[in-house]
Amino acid sequence: MATIKDIAKLSGYSIGTISRVINHRPDVSPEARKRIEEIIQRENFQPNSNAKLLKQRGTSSITVLVKGIANSFLESILEEMQISLHSHGEEINVVFLDEEANEIEAALQICREQKPKGLIFLGGNRRYFSERFSEIKVPAVLVSDTAEDLGFANLSSFTTDDFKAARMAIDFLTHRGHQRIAIIGGSLNDENGLVGARRVQGALDMLKEKGLSFDLEKDYVSCRFSMQDGYNAMQELLKKADGITGIFAVGDMIAIGAVRAAADAGLKVPDDLSIIGFDGIDYVRYSVPRLATIMQDTKQLAERSVEDLLMRISYTRNAVHEMIPFRVITGESIRQL
């Protein structure tokens, strides 16, 4: 049986346009409508009756829950999503949550009050998903973390392999000659499956593989994903770390704050300290010096998430889980020793 994705490929139109034709929306050109309807009839395509029923009940826009008020990386994905959803003629409702908030409780309240036809979670705590996501019945996508092992048929996920990417960050520093490396950001506690914890664990794994000394008490400071917290964490690190030449910050916002703290302490990056971040937000291209970082593909993360969600809104199919490639951006913040 043909799927909505098949119809999109055969017609040359987007999944969003196919969905608008299926649901008799007026915002489709006569040429597109005719072409799509011909292919639907030829391929004997049967739209998802559940999706139609939801529309008849007056469901509202797609809701995006952004986990982190000061997280520029998630905001960059959000911007790409807004462009993609608007190009498909979809309305979007954006809800910003604190980094410590329970996004599933917020989503359940939104589902009760606004009846969205789909949900996108930008960031999240896997413990909250395990506890109550089963109560959410609409199609949903988790972005920047994996949900594959959670086993929910209506929850897809698109993310970067944070563990492997963090290993690459440490490997990059060591190839530049750095043997004394510190880590700032994230958490050592990975019970909740937080992204920051996996990045820390990946970095520690590579340090161990390289046989490099690392003192958790002196060489690591936990902090939230913000410039202010990165600044404070760097100040604390400089008071207790000894002989550090390289620093892995588990987020670019943390790294930017750390660079400022180093400067205020009379240290130059990269002359005195080398720093690499993680995420690849736009700002690092304009920072002084340009920050070395692990670049995530925000455009691909956004587009794959939107494409998957729109297809599952309009056609019954199981969730999918994908790892999006990453790469190192060398920048100017790491010195060769």
Side-chain angles (χ1 to χ4, degrees), residues 15 35 38 46 58 63 99 111 116 130 160 166 170 185 188 192 210 226 232 238 242 244 247 273 275 315:
I15 290 173
R35 169 70 173 161
E38 287 175 351
Q46 299 295 321
T63 294
E99 195 172 309
C111 287
S130 298
T160 294
I170 298 299
L188 291 174
N192 297 330
K210 296 282 186 179
S226 74
N232 295 339
L238 292 175
D242 181 36
I244 294 296
I247 295 172
L273 281 175
I275 298 180
Y315 184 81

Side-chain angles (χ1 to χ4, degrees), residues 45-181:
F45 172 67
Q46 299 295 321
N48 180 4
S49 59
N50 290 333
K52 279 195 166 185
L53 180 59
L54 285 173
K55 291 177 182 297
Q56 291 166 3
R57 289 176 178 172
T59 55
S60 61
S61 60
I62 291 170
T63 294
V64 181
L65 296 97
V66 184
K67 189 75 176 288
I69 297 172
N71 194 320
S72 293
F73 169 65
L74 296 183
E75 289 181 5
S76 65
I77 300 179
L78 173 62
E79 183 178 357
E80 295 286 353
M81 283 182 171
Q82 289 174 315
I83 294 171
S84 182
L85 285 167
H86 288 160
S87 71
H88 290 306
E90 297 289 346
E91 295 180 357
I92 178 173
N93 174 42
V94 181
V95 178
F96 287 91
L97 303 171
D98 183 77
E99 195 172 309
E100 303 298 327
N102 187 322
E103 64 277 7
I104 301 302
E105 287 186 359
L108 286 168
Q109 182 176 349
I110 290 168
C111 287
R112 288 191 297 268
E113 296 176 355
Q114 302 177 23
K115 294 182 174 60
K117 57 186 177 182
L119 298 169
I120 297 177
F121 296 90
L122 283 182
N125 185 318
R126 284 162 46 84
R127 177 167 64 87
Y128 297 149
F129 280 82
S130 298
E131 291 171 349
R132 297 193 65 189
F133 182 82
S134 60
E135 300 174 43
I136 294 175
K137 304 305 180 185
V138 298
V141 178
L142 174 59
V143 186
S144 80
D145 205 343
T146 182
E148 185 169 10
D149 58 330
L150 296 177
F152 296 113
N154 62 327
L155 179 64
S156 291
S157 62
F158 299 88
T159 186
T160 294
D161 191 326
D162 294 283
F163 187 87
K164 288 184 178 179
R167 281 175 49 86
M168 182 176 286
I170 298 299
D171 189 54
F172 187 71
L173 282 168
T174 59
H175 274 87
R176 293 294 183 94
H178 297 275
Q179 301 292 302
R180 288 287 292 122
I181 299 170

Side-chain angles (χ1 to χ4, degrees), residues 186-247:
S187 170
L188 291 174
N189 181 6
D190 62 353
E191 291 181 358
N192 297 330
L194 298 176
V195 167
R198 285 199 298 280
R199 294 179 184 179
V200 172
Q201 292 300 323
L204 293 175
D205 186 70
M206 180 55 81
L207 287 168
K208 182 179 179 180
E209 182 176 310
K210 296 282 186 179
L212 301 179
S213 63
F214 188 87
D215 187 332
L216 283 174
E217 294 296 324
K218 294 182 178 180
D219 302 338
Y220 172 71
V221 180
S222 175
C223 74
R224 290 159 60 109
F225 285 77
S226 74
M227 286 187 284
Q228 182 62 60
D229 284 278
Y231 183 93
N232 295 339
M234 185 64 163
Q235 285 188 318
E236 181 179 345
L237 181 71
L238 292 175
K239 291 177 183 177
K240 62 181 185 178
D242 181 36
I244 294 296
T245 64
I247 295 172

Side-chain angles (χ1 to χ4, degrees), residues 235-282:
Q235 285 188 318
E236 181 179 345
L237 181 71
L238 292 175
K239 291 177 183 177
K240 62 181 185 178
D242 181 36
I244 294 296
T245 64
I247 295 172
F248 170 48
V250 304
D252 287 340
M253 299 300 289
I254 296 170
I256 291 167
V259 171
R260 181 70 258 177
D264 288 349
L267 300 173
K268 292 183 178 181
V269 175
D271 294 347
D272 301 311
L273 281 175
S274 293
I275 298 180
I276 185 169
F278 195 120
D279 287 331
I281 62 174
D282 286 343

